[in-house]
Amino acid sequence: MDAEKLWIGIGFAAFGMLVGTTAGLSTAELTITLLGLLFALIGGSIGALLGMAAHLDGIPVSVHDVLGLAQKGGAVVSHVRFGGAAGTGQAIRLPANSADLLLGCDALVSGQGETLDCLRPGTAAIVNLHETITGDFTRDPDFSLPMRRLRQTLAKRVGEDRLSMVDATALATALLGDAIATNLFMLGFAWQRGTVPVRRESIEEAIRLNG
């Protein structure tokens, strides 16, 4: 295992110390349940990682990444479906009002229309508070992200008690010295909340296999 895979794996393991819970869903539930997870981020994808983890657990899964215009560093929304008929020919893109979890590694991508359309009252939404500067800053030096409005929009969509916001970028950087670990940090946070239906060991093995 190279150093990068090692510290990302360590970062995932650190979430137990941070959150202090070992929730998680049992794989037995997933053989009879269909869960839709939505991941909104900038660059990269954790959908493939979870797809591998589900494969290791023997859980049917489908993964569909919707990419932004930029090939690198652009918005990515991953539609991941676990259990039920996932992977057997049904639509792999989550339909409107069907997501069980929104993992918003980037707040702006989380608040865009296509993402919001998939949410419903009761969706668990975990969103990164970190403000990632967009290209608008080059045209307007006083530009600031509408974080308050984004939070209100998400809370109205899923319910105030279903929205969790955390400065994952700052915490990941403090733990590991690099913001590149943010997406894995968010995944670990969501897993500790019991919203990611695969075993911890399978996620760690997928990290080792996929990097």
Side-chain angles (χ1 to χ4, degrees):
M1 185 194 310
D2 61 35
E4 182 178 2
K5 293 179 184 178
L6 178 61
W7 64 251
I8 290 178
I10 292 172
F12 184 85
F15 308 135
M17 294 183 289
L18 176 71
V19 183
T21 173
T22 55
L25 300 176
S26 73
T27 54
E29 294 178 73
L30 301 174
T31 59
I32 57 173
T33 303
L34 177 63
L35 295 179
L37 278 59
L38 197 66
F39 302 95
L41 54 152
I42 293 291
S45 173
I46 54 178
L49 180 68
L50 281 182
M52 174 60 72
H55 173 72
L56 293 171
D57 276 343
I59 300 170
V61 62
S62 61
V63 180
H64 176 61
D65 289 342
V66 180
L67 307 178
L69 294 178
Q71 291 184 346
K72 290 188 176 181
V76 178
V77 179
S78 292
H79 298 244
V80 183
R81 306 189 86 174
F82 291 96
T88 60
Q90 68 174 16
I92 57 177
R93 187 164 179 163
L94 297 182
N97 308 310
S98 68
D100 296 287
L101 168 70
L102 165 66
L103 190 64
C105 300
D106 181 83
L108 279 181
V109 182
S110 302
Q112 68 184 14
E114 291 183 5
T115 305
L116 293 173
D117 286 345
C118 293
L119 309 183
R120 56 175 173 75
T123 298
I126 301 173
V127 180
N128 185 9
L129 274 172
H130 180 74
E131 298 186 11
T132 302
I133 298 300
T134 69
D136 292 315
F137 179 76
T138 62
R139 297 182 292 275
D140 180 6
D142 296 321
F143 174 79
S144 62
L145 298 180
M147 293 299 292
R148 179 177 296 181
R149 189 172 77 243
L150 283 169
R151 189 190 189 288
Q152 292 173 342
T153 298
L154 288 166
K156 183 178 180 180
R157 187 72 178 173
V158 305
E160 185 72 37
D161 61 333
R162 300 294 289 167
L163 175 62
S164 300
M165 301 196 76
V166 57
D167 194 339
T169 301
L171 290 168
T173 302
L175 281 169
L176 295 169
D178 198 322
I180 198 172
T182 299
N183 291 350
L184 263 294
F185 181 95
M186 290 289 289
L187 174 59
F189 189 94
W191 185 89
Q192 295 287 353
R193 293 293 182 91
T195 57
V196 178
V198 290
R199 295 180 304 121
R200 171 176 173 162
E201 295 83 359
S202 296
I203 295 177
E204 293 175 343
E205 179 63 17
I207 292 171
R208 285 188 285 269
L209 291 173
N210 290 12

